[in-house]
């Protein structure tokens, strides 16, 4: 019966996953169908605009060239008309002189004849007919303004849509996710020397598999990539996965996207848990600061509630035993928002825990102390750490402690034992917790120098733990275990910097 239920449960899980996959695919198809309509309308509009621009250019060229012909016509007509007028006038003058010369032949008087002959000679010398150029200043030919658009017609007849680059192919096996960077590698399915650059888009997601059309995060764009490889740096892995896709661009257009690839980007993400933190700590998601005035208003409200409830407690004593809380328990005020109902840290336990626990695997986070922070501790603890317990003073907590009050000290603490650390105190500390390997290591976050390692078998899940007094801490999560830390752990087997006096078997 149990085996059949297990088999049925596996079938149900498979069907549910397939249904979700089909639902996502249907959304993709619907989105693509709507996109075809929108994009088709857009490209038709673009085509009409391009042809209108082409028509406009042709009309402008036609008008310009027609004007050139008309101007040439006016110029030649003017030149020829001037020559024609001058020649007509010269002809009239020459005909008149010719007639005068012919009449002079009939003169009998020698003096009169000599006088007429001299006059005719002078007039011939100055006659316009002998001063004119007998060559037209312009021809009637207009062949120099003829056109031959055969090549242009051929070009127009060969108009085609833009040659769009093909979609690249992402090499998932060559993509690398390490040290909070993502290197994406791709190639073209065929050589294309017209490609000018690539566009990479990525999107964080918590959904495995193909990207969803509707996701909680938008695609982020990296443009003008000149090679077929790109590394995204400075990432915070606050999601389980990352979708990536690439498109190629030539000088004219961008091609289709590659098939998207989903890369795993898991990292340990947590925040400070304000509900159970000490009242003197001002807690936000990524920072905690000492606040000496914190909680005073809340304490007065708590006392008021306790006084109002005293008479009611007396009546409760007469109730049945199974429904009667002890007076001591009833007087304890718990915040309803506290995860797991744990008490708020109080007394001198200026503690705040992380809001996520760890029970297996390797995890890493970094902490930076604010300037002039007097005292702070960084480490891990069991979730049931007592509300009065101070980090490092119980067998359920492990930490390194920094004290800048009066005199500076830097020590590793566990089970009320301390070991001074003879290393330079860094500005930012990296915490590496290996639940499977049973060790907790602290590093200089910048240089990755090992500061200290606890070797222990954690018998229960642990949570990040912090103590702050007169100062503050800022937290960086969503970090992968740095490759330098992994290499060191493999090389040194996690023993470098550990203290045998502080190693323990946690129960």
């Amino acid at each position: 019966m149990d085996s059949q239920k297990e088999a049925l449960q596996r079938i149900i899980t498979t069907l549910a996953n397939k249904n979700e996959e089909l639902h996502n695919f249907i959304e993709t198809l619907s989105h693509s169908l709507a996109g075809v309509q929108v994009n088709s309308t857009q490209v038709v509009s673009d085509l009409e605009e391009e042809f209108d621009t082409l028509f406009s250019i042709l009309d402008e060229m036609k008008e310009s060239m027609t004007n050139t012909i008309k101007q040439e016509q006016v110029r030649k007509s003017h030149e020829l008309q001037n020559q024609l007028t001058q020649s007509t006038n010269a002809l009239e003058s020459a005909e008149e002189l010719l007639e005068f010369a012919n009449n002079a032949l009939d003169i009998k008087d020698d003096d009169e004849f000599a006088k007429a002959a001299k006059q005719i000679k002078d007039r011939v010398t100055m006659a316009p007919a002998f001063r004119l150029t007998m060559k037209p200043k312009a021809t009637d030919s207009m062949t120099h303004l003829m056109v031959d658009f055969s090549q242009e017609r051929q070009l127009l007849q060969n108009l085609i849509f833009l040659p769009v680059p093909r979609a690249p192919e992402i090499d998932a096996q060559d993509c690398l996710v390490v040290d909070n960077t993502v290197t994406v590698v791709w190639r073209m399915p065929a050589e294309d020397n017209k490609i000018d650059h690539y566009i990479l888009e990525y999107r964080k997601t918590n959904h495995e598999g193909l990207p969803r059309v509707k996701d909680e995060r938008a695609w982020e764009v990296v443009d003008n990539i000149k090679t077929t490889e790109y590394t995204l740096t400075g990432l915070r892995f606050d999601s389980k996965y990352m979708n990536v896709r690439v498109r190629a661009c030539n000088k004219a257009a961008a091609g289709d996207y590659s098939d998207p690839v989903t890369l795993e980007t898991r990292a340990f993400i947590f925040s400070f848990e304000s509900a159970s933190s000490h009242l003197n700590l001002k807690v936000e998601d990524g920072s905690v600061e000492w606040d000496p005035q914190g909680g005073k208003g809340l304490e007065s409200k708590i006392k008021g509630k306790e006084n109002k409830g005293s008479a009611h407690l007396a009546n409760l004593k007469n109730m049945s035993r199974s429904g009667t809380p002890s007076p001591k328990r009833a007087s304890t005020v718990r915040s309803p928002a506290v995860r797991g109902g744990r008490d708020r840290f109080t007394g001198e336990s200026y503690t705040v825990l992380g809001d996520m626990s760890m029970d297996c695997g390797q995890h890493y986070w970094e902490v930076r102390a604010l300037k002039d922070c007097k005292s702070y501790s960084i480490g891990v603890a069991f979730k049931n750490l007592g509300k009065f317990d101070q980090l490092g003073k119980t067998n359920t907590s492990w930490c390194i402690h920094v004290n800048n009050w009066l005199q500076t000290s830097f020590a590793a603490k566990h089970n009320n034992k301390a070991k001074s650390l003879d290393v330079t105190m860094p500005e930012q500390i990296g915490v590496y917790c290996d639940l499977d390997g049973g060790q907790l290591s602290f590093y200089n976050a910048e240089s990755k120098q090992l500061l200290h390692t606890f070797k222990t078998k954690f018998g229960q899940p642990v949570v990040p733990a912090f103590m702050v007094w007169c100062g503050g801490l800022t937290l960086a999560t969503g970090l992968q275990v740095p490759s330098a830390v992994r290499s060191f752990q493999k090389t040194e087997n996690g023993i470098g910097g550990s203290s045998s006096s502080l190693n323990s078997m946690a129960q």
Side-chain angles (χ1 to χ4, degrees):
M1 185 68 175
D2 291 340
S3 61
Q4 290 179 333
K5 284 186 176 181
E6 290 178 0
L8 182 58
Q9 187 61 50
R10 287 194 296 270
I11 293 174
I12 291 173
T13 301
T14 302
L15 288 174
N17 291 337
K18 179 55 68 175
N19 287 348
E20 183 179 5
E21 184 180 345
L22 284 171
H23 180 72
N24 183 39
F25 184 60
I26 290 171
E27 282 189 346
T28 301
L29 292 176
S30 300
H31 180 77
S32 298
L33 182 59
V36 166
Q37 306 302 321
V38 173
N39 294 334
S40 297
T41 302
Q42 182 61 49
V43 294
V44 168
S45 175
D46 292 343
L47 181 65
E48 290 177 347
E49 183 178 349
E50 287 295 327
F51 269 99
D52 287 342
T53 301
L54 190 59
F55 295 151
S56 176
I57 292 173
L58 289 173
D59 287 338
E60 290 176 2
M61 290 300 298
K62 178 182 177 182
E63 182 179 359
S64 174
M65 296 176 79
T66 301
N67 287 336
T68 300
I69 294 174
K70 289 180 178 180
Q71 290 171 6
E72 183 70 353
Q73 177 188 2
V74 170
R75 184 189 70 80
K76 285 193 171 189
S77 298
H78 180 71
E79 292 285 350
L80 293 173
Q81 185 63 51
N82 286 340
Q83 273 192 300
L84 178 60
T85 301
Q86 292 173 2
S87 297
T88 301
N89 293 336
L91 178 60
E92 291 177 355
S93 177
E95 287 177 343
E96 179 187 356
L97 182 59
L98 177 61
E99 183 180 358
F100 179 72
N102 287 328
N103 292 334
L105 290 175
D106 296 331
I107 297 175
K108 302 300 182 179
D109 186 278
D110 291 341
D111 291 337
E112 290 293 329
F113 179 81
K115 182 179 178 181
K118 183 178 184 307
Q119 186 179 2
I120 292 170
K121 180 181 179 182
D122 292 340
R123 288 182 63 182
V124 168
T125 304
M126 300 298 296
F130 295 96
R131 300 169 64 117
L132 285 176
T133 299
M134 303 303 289
K135 180 180 181 181
K137 291 185 177 181
T139 68
D140 61 353
S141 174
M142 299 291 281
T143 56
H144 62 291
L145 293 178
M146 293 180 65
V147 295
D148 179 8
F149 288 148
S150 57
Q151 291 184 351
E152 287 75 7
R153 281 196 298 272
Q154 185 66 37
L155 287 175
L156 290 173
Q157 291 170 355
N158 290 333
L159 287 179
I160 59 173
F161 294 104
L162 289 173
V164 178
R166 297 175 63 181
E169 298 174 354
I170 297 179
D171 297 320
Q173 298 299 323
D174 293 333
C175 294
L176 184 64
V177 180
V178 64
D179 291 340
N180 282 81
T181 67
V182 174
T183 299
V184 185
V185 181
W186 62 90
R187 58 183 171 84
M188 294 301 295
E191 185 177 353
D192 187 349
N193 57 11
K194 298 291 182 64
I195 291 177
D196 178 69
H197 65 278
Y198 299 92
I199 298 174
L200 168 66
E201 296 188 3
Y202 65 97
R203 179 175 66 182
K204 297 178 180 180
T205 181
N206 287 314
H207 302 291
E208 188 176 8
L210 293 175
R212 302 186 174 200
V213 174
K214 298 178 181 178
D215 204 287
E216 62 274 12
R217 307 194 191 193
W219 290 96
E220 298 186 55
V221 180
V222 181
D223 200 351
N224 202 33
I225 301 172
K226 296 296 186 179
T227 62
T228 56
E229 177 178 323
Y230 189 82
T231 299
L232 299 166
T233 60
L235 299 173
R236 180 174 185 261
F237 288 166
D238 51 1
S239 63
K240 297 178 181 178
Y241 303 97
M242 178 181 289
N243 305 139
V244 294
R245 63 186 185 185
V246 183
R247 66 196 309 193
C249 305
N250 56 28
K251 291 291 186 181
D256 289 335
Y257 288 106
S258 65
D259 289 335
V261 169
T262 300
L263 303 174
E264 187 174 8
T265 56
R266 293 180 185 271
F268 186 47
I269 305 170
F270 68 92
S271 300
F272 292 118
E273 184 188 69
S274 60
S276 62
S277 64
H278 195 286
L279 288 174
N280 286 119
L281 297 181
K282 180 182 178 182
V283 176
E284 297 178 356
D285 281 350
S287 66
V288 56
E289 291 189 47
W290 165 261
D291 180 10
Q293 302 300 319
K296 288 189 176 181
L298 182 59
E299 289 175 357
S300 62
K301 290 181 181 179
I302 291 172
K303 291 180 180 179
K305 289 182 179 180
E306 290 177 350
N307 293 335
K308 289 181 181 179
S310 59
H312 180 61
L313 288 174
N315 293 331
L316 288 176
K317 292 180 180 179
N318 299 323
M319 295 174 63
S320 63
R321 190 171 187 180
S322 61
T324 306
S326 67
K328 182 177 180 181
R329 181 178 296 274
S331 64
T332 302
V333 178
R334 298 174 184 265
S335 169
V338 174
R339 175 177 55 81
R342 68 156 296 127
D343 293 325
R344 186 182 287 277
F345 289 100
T346 188
E348 295 185 357
S349 180
Y350 303 114
T351 303
V352 58
L353 302 178
D355 61 358
M356 294 291 291
S357 63
M358 303 168 283
D359 56 6
C360 64
Q362 295 79 36
H363 310 277
Y364 180 83
W365 61 96
E366 293 180 354
V367 184
R368 178 184 292 270
L370 300 182
K371 188 177 181 180
D372 299 329
C373 186
K374 295 294 188 294
S375 179
Y376 61 93
S377 298
I378 302 168
V380 300
F382 288 164
K383 292 191 291 185
N384 60 0
L385 184 69
K387 66 177 182 178
F388 295 105
D389 292 341
Q390 298 181 34
L391 294 185
K393 292 190 175 182
T394 69
N395 65 348
T396 60
S397 62
W398 299 257
C399 71
I400 57 173
H401 175 74
V402 178
N403 179 33
N404 293 317
W405 177 247
L406 298 180
Q407 61 181 11
T408 300
S409 63
F410 189 24
K413 291 186 174 183
H414 169 65
N415 201 18
N416 209 25
K417 296 179 181 179
K419 174 182 173 59
S420 294
L421 302 179
D422 188 19
V423 292
T424 302
M425 185 169 54
E427 293 184 0
Q428 187 157 323
I429 295 174
V431 184
Y432 171 71
C433 186
D434 182 0
L435 278 298
D436 300 333
Q439 65 181 27
L440 174 68
S441 299
F442 300 89
Y443 289 85
N444 181 321
E446 298 298 327
S447 66
K448 300 301 183 287
Q449 175 194 9
L450 178 65
L451 305 176
H452 184 77
T453 293
F454 291 103
K455 296 283 288 183
T456 183
K457 295 295 183 182
F458 300 104
Q460 301 178 28
V462 295
V463 292
F466 312 85
M467 184 282 294
V468 182
W469 179 71
C470 291
L473 302 174
T474 58
L475 178 65
T477 68
L479 304 176
Q480 288 186 304
V481 178
S483 55
V485 171
R486 289 189 182 277
S487 298
F488 183 86
Q489 294 295 327
K490 290 180 180 179
T491 303
E492 301 296 329
N493 196 26
I495 60 175
S498 64
S499 170
S500 59
S501 63
L502 297 179
N503 291 343
S504 64
M505 176 66 73
Q507 302 297 327

